[in-house]
Amino acid sequence: MASHPSKRRRLTPPRSEDGQGSTRNDTKVQKSFFKSATDWNLENDYESRPRKGKRDMKKKTIADGATGRLPIKTAAGSWVPQDDVESIASDAEWLESDGDHEAPLEETLPRAPEQPKIPEREQIKNAQEELAKIATLLNEDPEDHPGAFKALAAVGDSRLKAVQKLALVTQMAVYKDVIPGYRIRPASEDPAVEKLSKDVKKVRMYEQALVTGYHSYLKTLATHASTPLVKGEKRTKSLSSVAITCACTLLGAVPHFNFRSDLLRILVRKLSARRPDADFIKCRKAIETLLHEDEEGRPSMEAVSLLTKMMKARDYHCDESVLNLFLHLRLLSEFGGKASHDDVDRPDEAPNGKKLKQKKEFRTKKQRKLMKEQKAANRVMAQADATVTHEERDQMQSETLKMVFATYFRILKARSPHLMGAVLEGLAKYSHLINQNFFGDLLEALKDLIRAAELGKIEESGDEDEEMADTDDDFPDVRDTNREALLCTVTAFVLLAGQDAHNARTGLHLDLSFFITHLYRSLFSLSINADLELGAKSLHLPDPDGSGVDKRKDFKVNLQTTTVLMMRCLSGVLLPPWNIRSVPPLRLAAFSKQLMSTCLQMPERSCEAVLGFLQDILHTHGKKVNALWNTEERKGDGTFKPLSETVEGSNPFTATIWEGELLKKHYCPKVREELKLMEKSLRSI
C-alpha cells in the first residue's frame, strides 16, 4: 500500500497571476506584526533567560578539579589561586619531612614584574620642566589656574631632596610674585548671604586657593626647617637651610600678607639655637629689617612677643644678638608714653589711668548724623587699605614697650652675665620711656651692677644647679665692665632728662651721688683704655699676646664709642639739662682738674672732645672754676688728692691746672687749637 506524502504548511499565500493578491497579503501581515509588537517586553524576556555561561563555567571548574575559592595575594604582590598555594604548601611540608631541603613560601611563589626605575637625573629634569610649566601659567594669568598651587606642592612630594629643594624655591618665587598688596579675608569671615557676580566669584575662588596653598607651603617650610642635618651633609646645602632662606625672603617681601606669625615662628625657632651659624645670622637680619621698616606696629608686636616667649622658655640662655634685636624697634623711638614692666602711661591719660575729658563741641542733629556716616565710611576705607589708626598704633606700641621692659627687668633680676651688656644698651636707649614710678628699683639694680663690676665679678644666683652651669658654657662671659658702668651712669641720668624729671627727682628723693663718684674715680682708667675710640664696627687688630682672640663682639647695635658714652655721662653730671645752675663748685673744680690730667693720656680725638667740653663748662660756670687756672690764687688749704674715694675729699681748689702748658706742645694741631679756644674763653670771664 502506497504511503501518502506528508502535508507541508504554507507559510505565505500563493501569488496571484496578476501579482495584486500578494501585495495585499503583505500589507495585512505587516499591520498585524506591528499591532502585536506593541505588547512585547524584550527587556523582561532577556532578563528571564537562563544564565548558561555561569553554569558552563562552574561545570568547567569542577571538571578541572578547582575548588572555586578566592585567590590569595603573596608578599611579592601577585595573586595566586588557593589550590596552587595548597599544593606548594604540601610540597614544602614534604620537603621539610624529608629533611634534605627547605624553601620559603615567598621564594617559591611567582613574583610580579618590577617596574623600571627612572634615573635620578631624569627625575630632576622632569621636575624642573613641570615646575617651569606650572610657574609660567601662574605668572601669565594666575586667576585662570587656581589649582596650579596644589600642582606645585605635589611636585615636591618626591623622595629626592634635589626635587624638594627645587619645589620649595619655585613656590617661594611664585608666591612672592602673585601675592597681592593686601591681606585676604578668610572664607569664614565672608557674609552668609551675599550676591556676587561671576567675576567676583572667580576672584574669590582664586584668592581662597592662594591662601590655602600658601598656608600649606608655610607648614612644609616649618617641617623642613626643623629637620636635623644628616651626618656628612653641609649646612649650606641642606634642606633646612633652603627652607629658612625661603622663609626669610618671604618675610622681607610680603610681611603684610596672611600667616605672618607662621613665618616669624620659623625664624624665632632658629634664633633659639645655642651656637650661631649662617642660618642664624640670616634669620636675625630678616627680623632686624622687619623691625626697622615697620610703620604699622603689629608686625613688631608679633615679633617681640615671640622673641620674649622664646627667651623666657629658655630661661634667657640665648645669644646676646637676639636681645639686641629690640634696639632696632623703630616705633619705640616715636612713642610718647612712659612704661614699666607691667604698666603704661600715655600722654593723653590722667594720673589715675583714665582718659582726659575733652570739651564737647555743640553740633546739630544733622551734623551728628553726617559725622556718623563719615566715620562709618572712613572705617570701611581704612579696613580696605589695611591702615592703622593712631589709637591702635599707640596701643600696639604700648604693648611692645611693656614686653621689652619686662624682658630687661627679668634679666637684670636674674643677673645673666652674658646679657648684661645688651640689657644696659637697651635701657640706655629707651630710658626716656621708663615710667617714673620705677626709677628707684631700676637705679638700685644699676648700682648693684656697678659694684659687681668694681669687684670684677657678677653676682650669681645661689640656687643654680650644674645643668645651668653647663648651659652657661655655651655663652662665654666676655664683658666690658668699663662700658657697662658708663651705660649704667648714662641710663641713670637720662632717666631724669625727660619731662618733669626735676620734680620726679625731688619727689622720689633719688640719690645719684653714687654714679657721680664712680664716674670721677674711673676717669683715669678710661683715659688709658686702648679701645677708647673704637666702636662696634671699628677695625681692630687682636692683642699681641699670642692668643689672637678679639674679645670685642661685632654685633653691638649701639655704635657709640666709649668716648661718646663718657661725654654723655659728664654732660649729665656737670651740665644737667633740668637745672644747669645747681651744680656745686666743688664738683665742677674736681672734674675740671681730673679731665685736664686725663687729656695727657687720651688719643687726639678724645682730647679734642674733652677740651671742647671744658670750654662749655667755662662758658657756663666760669666764675666758679677760674681760680684753678690762676697760680697765685688758692681757695682751700691742704693738698690735692686725685685718687680720693669721693669727689669732695679730693680738695680740688688747692691744686692748679698746669696741664695746659704741656698740651700747647701737643703733636696734633687740632688739640692745640682747642686749647687756644678754651684759654680765650677763660680770659673773657
PDB file of all heavy atoms in Angstrom, residues 19-39:
ATOM      1  N   GLY A  19      -0.383  39.380  -9.551  1.00  0.00           N
ATOM      2  CA  GLY A  19       0.531  39.979  -8.559  1.00  0.00           C
ATOM      3  C   GLY A  19      -0.153  40.861  -7.567  1.00  0.00           C
ATOM      4  O   GLY A  19       0.442  41.293  -6.598  1.00  0.00           O
ATOM      5  N   GLN A  20      -1.426  41.181  -7.670  1.00  0.00           N
ATOM      6  CA  GLN A  20      -2.097  42.087  -6.731  1.00  0.00           C
ATOM      7  C   GLN A  20      -2.408  41.388  -5.428  1.00  0.00           C
ATOM      8  O   GLN A  20      -2.405  41.980  -4.357  1.00  0.00           O
ATOM      9  CB  GLN A  20      -3.377  42.624  -7.374  1.00  0.00           C
ATOM     10  CG  GLN A  20      -3.109  43.517  -8.582  1.00  0.00           C
ATOM     11  CD  GLN A  20      -4.396  44.021  -9.202  1.00  0.00           C
ATOM     12  OE1 GLN A  20      -5.481  43.666  -8.717  1.00  0.00           O
ATOM     13  NE2 GLN A  20      -4.278  44.827 -10.254  1.00  0.00           N
ATOM     14  N   GLY A  21      -2.729  40.095  -5.469  1.00  0.00           N
ATOM     15  CA  GLY A  21      -3.058  39.369  -4.243  1.00  0.00           C
ATOM     16  C   GLY A  21      -1.883  39.313  -3.277  1.00  0.00           C
ATOM     17  O   GLY A  21      -2.053  39.410  -2.077  1.00  0.00           O
ATOM     18  N   SER A  22      -0.694  39.106  -3.794  1.00  0.00           N
ATOM     19  CA  SER A  22       0.480  39.043  -2.917  1.00  0.00           C
ATOM     20  C   SER A  22       0.749  40.365  -2.226  1.00  0.00           C
ATOM     21  O   SER A  22       1.107  40.418  -1.053  1.00  0.00           O
ATOM     22  CB  SER A  22       1.700  38.629  -3.735  1.00  0.00           C
ATOM     23  OG  SER A  22       1.975  39.588  -4.728  1.00  0.00           O
ATOM     24  N   THR A  23       0.564  41.471  -2.886  1.00  0.00           N
ATOM     25  CA  THR A  23       0.809  42.790  -2.280  1.00  0.00           C
ATOM     26  C   THR A  23      -0.187  43.068  -1.181  1.00  0.00           C
ATOM     27  O   THR A  23       0.132  43.616  -0.121  1.00  0.00           O
ATOM     28  CB  THR A  23       0.723  43.877  -3.365  1.00  0.00           C
ATOM     29  OG1 THR A  23       1.632  43.543  -4.400  1.00  0.00           O
ATOM     30  CG2 THR A  23       1.078  45.225  -2.798  1.00  0.00           C
ATOM     31  N   ARG A  24      -1.423  42.680  -1.411  1.00  0.00           N
ATOM     32  CA  ARG A  24      -2.472  42.916  -0.413  1.00  0.00           C
ATOM     33  C   ARG A  24      -2.196  42.087   0.827  1.00  0.00           C
ATOM     34  O   ARG A  24      -2.357  42.536   1.960  1.00  0.00           O
ATOM     35  CB  ARG A  24      -3.833  42.559  -1.037  1.00  0.00           C
ATOM     36  CG  ARG A  24      -5.006  43.054  -0.210  1.00  0.00           C
ATOM     37  CD  ARG A  24      -6.325  42.690  -0.885  1.00  0.00           C
ATOM     38  NE  ARG A  24      -6.393  43.239  -2.229  1.00  0.00           N
ATOM     39  CZ  ARG A  24      -6.427  42.507  -3.334  1.00  0.00           C
ATOM     40  NH1 ARG A  24      -6.317  41.195  -3.270  1.00  0.00           N
ATOM     41  NH2 ARG A  24      -6.530  43.079  -4.536  1.00  0.00           N
ATOM     42  N   ASN A  25      -1.759  40.832   0.654  1.00  0.00           N
ATOM     43  CA  ASN A  25      -1.470  39.971   1.805  1.00  0.00           C
ATOM     44  C   ASN A  25      -0.255  40.474   2.597  1.00  0.00           C
ATOM     45  O   ASN A  25      -0.225  40.401   3.829  1.00  0.00           O
ATOM     46  CB  ASN A  25      -1.218  38.547   1.332  1.00  0.00           C
ATOM     47  CG  ASN A  25      -2.492  37.913   0.790  1.00  0.00           C
ATOM     48  OD1 ASN A  25      -3.593  38.302   1.188  1.00  0.00           O
ATOM     49  ND2 ASN A  25      -2.342  36.964  -0.115  1.00  0.00           N
ATOM     50  N   ASP A  26       0.764  40.990   1.907  1.00  0.00           N
ATOM     51  CA  ASP A  26       1.951  41.529   2.608  1.00  0.00           C
ATOM     52  C   ASP A  26       1.586  42.691   3.502  1.00  0.00           C
ATOM     53  O   ASP A  26       2.067  42.827   4.635  1.00  0.00           O
ATOM     54  CB  ASP A  26       3.014  41.981   1.590  1.00  0.00           C
ATOM     55  CG  ASP A  26       3.626  40.768   0.890  1.00  0.00           C
ATOM     56  OD1 ASP A  26       3.450  39.653   1.417  1.00  0.00           O
ATOM     57  OD2 ASP A  26       4.284  40.962  -0.143  1.00  0.00           O
ATOM     58  N   THR A  27       0.728  43.542   3.041  1.00  0.00           N
ATOM     59  CA  THR A  27       0.298  44.700   3.842  1.00  0.00           C
ATOM     60  C   THR A  27      -0.448  44.259   5.070  1.00  0.00           C
ATOM     61  O   THR A  27      -0.282  44.798   6.186  1.00  0.00           O
ATOM     62  CB  THR A  27      -0.577  45.621   2.979  1.00  0.00           C
ATOM     63  OG1 THR A  27       0.143  45.978   1.804  1.00  0.00           O
ATOM     64  CG2 THR A  27      -0.931  46.859   3.743  1.00  0.00           C
ATOM     65  N   LYS A  28      -1.288  43.235   4.922  1.00  0.00           N
ATOM     66  CA  LYS A  28      -2.069  42.745   6.062  1.00  0.00           C
ATOM     67  C   LYS A  28      -1.143  42.120   7.108  1.00  0.00           C
ATOM     68  O   LYS A  28      -1.312  42.330   8.311  1.00  0.00           O
ATOM     69  CB  LYS A  28      -3.078  41.724   5.552  1.00  0.00           C
ATOM     70  CG  LYS A  28      -4.122  41.331   6.594  1.00  0.00           C
ATOM     71  CD  LYS A  28      -5.080  40.292   6.020  1.00  0.00           C
ATOM     72  CE  LYS A  28      -5.890  40.906   4.867  1.00  0.00           C
ATOM     73  NZ  LYS A  28      -6.907  39.942   4.353  1.00  0.00           N
ATOM     74  N   VAL A  29      -0.142  41.355   6.664  1.00  0.00           N
ATOM     75  CA  VAL A  29       0.793  40.729   7.603  1.00  0.00           C
ATOM     76  C   VAL A  29       1.615  41.785   8.348  1.00  0.00           C
ATOM     77  O   VAL A  29       1.857  41.694   9.556  1.00  0.00           O
ATOM     78  CB  VAL A  29       1.723  39.768   6.846  1.00  0.00           C
ATOM     79  CG1 VAL A  29       2.845  39.281   7.770  1.00  0.00           C
ATOM     80  CG2 VAL A  29       0.941  38.591   6.316  1.00  0.00           C
ATOM     81  N   GLN A  30       2.009  42.820   7.646  1.00  0.00           N
ATOM     82  CA  GLN A  30       2.813  43.880   8.273  1.00  0.00           C
ATOM     83  C   GLN A  30       2.028  44.610   9.341  1.00  0.00           C
ATOM     84  O   GLN A  30       2.541  44.924  10.424  1.00  0.00           O
ATOM     85  CB  GLN A  30       3.302  44.847   7.194  1.00  0.00           C
ATOM     86  CG  GLN A  30       4.313  45.860   7.703  1.00  0.00           C
ATOM     87  CD  GLN A  30       4.825  46.732   6.582  1.00  0.00           C
ATOM     88  OE1 GLN A  30       4.318  46.652   5.459  1.00  0.00           O
ATOM     89  NE2 GLN A  30       5.809  47.544   6.869  1.00  0.00           N
ATOM     90  N   LYS A  31       0.733  44.863   9.064  1.00  0.00           N
ATOM     91  CA  LYS A  31      -0.097  45.550  10.047  1.00  0.00           C
ATOM     92  C   LYS A  31      -0.279  44.706  11.298  1.00  0.00           C
ATOM     93  O   LYS A  31      -0.217  45.197  12.430  1.00  0.00           O
ATOM     94  CB  LYS A  31      -1.452  45.886   9.434  1.00  0.00           C
ATOM     95  CG  LYS A  31      -1.401  47.031   8.439  1.00  0.00           C
ATOM     96  CD  LYS A  31      -2.806  47.342   7.923  1.00  0.00           C
ATOM     97  CE  LYS A  31      -2.764  48.509   6.943  1.00  0.00           C
ATOM     98  NZ  LYS A  31      -4.106  48.822   6.418  1.00  0.00           N
ATOM     99  N   SER A  32      -0.525  43.382  11.090  1.00  0.00           N
ATOM    100  CA  SER A  32      -0.703  42.519  12.253  1.00  0.00           C
ATOM    101  C   SER A  32       0.605  42.400  13.056  1.00  0.00           C
ATOM    102  O   SER A  32       0.595  42.304  14.287  1.00  0.00           O
ATOM    103  CB  SER A  32      -1.175  41.133  11.788  1.00  0.00           C
ATOM    104  OG  SER A  32      -0.182  40.537  10.967  1.00  0.00           O
ATOM    105  N   PHE A  33       1.772  42.457  12.393  1.00  0.00           N
ATOM    106  CA  PHE A  33       3.059  42.386  13.089  1.00  0.00           C
ATOM    107  C   PHE A  33       3.276  43.608  13.980  1.00  0.00           C
ATOM    108  O   PHE A  33       3.643  43.504  15.147  1.00  0.00           O
ATOM    109  CB  PHE A  33       4.189  42.267  12.052  1.00  0.00           C
ATOM    110  CG  PHE A  33       5.566  42.333  12.657  1.00  0.00           C
ATOM    111  CD1 PHE A  33       6.100  41.221  13.302  1.00  0.00           C
ATOM    112  CD2 PHE A  33       6.314  43.499  12.593  1.00  0.00           C
ATOM    113  CE1 PHE A  33       7.361  41.294  13.854  1.00  0.00           C
ATOM    114  CE2 PHE A  33       7.557  43.552  13.153  1.00  0.00           C
ATOM    115  CZ  PHE A  33       8.097  42.452  13.782  1.00  0.00           C
ATOM    116  N   PHE A  34       2.994  44.766  13.426  1.00  0.00           N
ATOM    117  CA  PHE A  34       3.163  45.993  14.220  1.00  0.00           C
ATOM    118  C   PHE A  34       2.177  46.056  15.374  1.00  0.00           C
ATOM    119  O   PHE A  34       2.467  46.588  16.449  1.00  0.00           O
ATOM    120  CB  PHE A  34       3.007  47.221  13.332  1.00  0.00           C
ATOM    121  CG  PHE A  34       4.190  47.461  12.430  1.00  0.00           C
ATOM    122  CD1 PHE A  34       4.028  47.716  11.086  1.00  0.00           C
ATOM    123  CD2 PHE A  34       5.490  47.414  12.935  1.00  0.00           C
ATOM    124  CE1 PHE A  34       5.119  47.932  10.259  1.00  0.00           C
ATOM    125  CE2 PHE A  34       6.571  47.627  12.111  1.00  0.00           C
ATOM    126  CZ  PHE A  34       6.398  47.890  10.760  1.00  0.00           C
ATOM    127  N   LYS A  35       0.983  45.509  15.170  1.00  0.00           N
ATOM    128  CA  LYS A  35      -0.024  45.534  16.216  1.00  0.00           C
ATOM    129  C   LYS A  35       0.395  44.660  17.394  1.00  0.00           C
ATOM    130  O   LYS A  35       0.194  45.012  18.568  1.00  0.00           O
ATOM    131  CB  LYS A  35      -1.360  45.066  15.640  1.00  0.00           C
ATOM    132  CG  LYS A  35      -2.511  45.188  16.622  1.00  0.00           C
ATOM    133  CD  LYS A  35      -3.806  44.783  15.949  1.00  0.00           C
ATOM    134  CE  LYS A  35      -4.974  44.915  16.916  1.00  0.00           C
ATOM    135  NZ  LYS A  35      -6.262  44.518  16.301  1.00  0.00           N
ATOM    136  N   SER A  36       0.953  43.496  17.088  1.00  0.00           N
ATOM    137  CA  SER A  36       1.386  42.611  18.173  1.00  0.00           C
ATOM    138  C   SER A  36       2.697  43.067  18.816  1.00  0.00           C
ATOM    139  O   SER A  36       2.992  42.734  19.958  1.00  0.00           O
ATOM    140  CB  SER A  36       1.549  41.191  17.639  1.00  0.00           C
ATOM    141  OG  SER A  36       2.548  41.167  16.625  1.00  0.00           O
ATOM    142  N   ALA A  37       3.516  43.828  18.122  1.00  0.00           N
ATOM    143  CA  ALA A  37       4.812  44.287  18.654  1.00  0.00           C
ATOM    144  C   ALA A  37       4.654  45.265  19.796  1.00  0.00           C
ATOM    145  O   ALA A  37       5.551  45.421  20.631  1.00  0.00           O
ATOM    146  CB  ALA A  37       5.644  44.914  17.538  1.00  0.00           C
ATOM    147  N   THR A  38       3.508  45.944  19.870  1.00  0.00           N
ATOM    148  CA  THR A  38       3.301  46.919  20.954  1.00  0.00           C
ATOM    149  C   THR A  38       3.178  46.233  22.299  1.00  0.00           C
ATOM    150  O   THR A  38       3.388  46.852  23.345  1.00  0.00           O
ATOM    151  CB  THR A  38       2.034  47.741  20.672  1.00  0.00           C
ATOM    152  OG1 THR A  38       0.933  46.852  20.504  1.00  0.00           O
ATOM    153  CG2 THR A  38       2.203  48.568  19.412  1.00  0.00           C
ATOM    154  N   ASP A  39       2.808  44.936  22.291  1.00  0.00           N
ATOM    155  CA  ASP A  39       2.646  44.215  23.560  1.00  0.00           C
ATOM    156  C   ASP A  39       3.910  43.467  23.981  1.00  0.00           C
ATOM    157  O   ASP A  39       3.909  42.783  25.004  1.00  0.00           O
ATOM    158  CB  ASP A  39       1.491  43.204  23.427  1.00  0.00           C
ATOM    159  CG  ASP A  39       0.179  43.914  23.127  1.00  0.00           C
ATOM    160  OD1 ASP A  39       0.070  45.075  23.584  1.00  0.00           O
ATOM    161  OD2 ASP A  39      -0.693  43.313  22.479  1.00  0.00           O
TER     162      ASP A  39
END
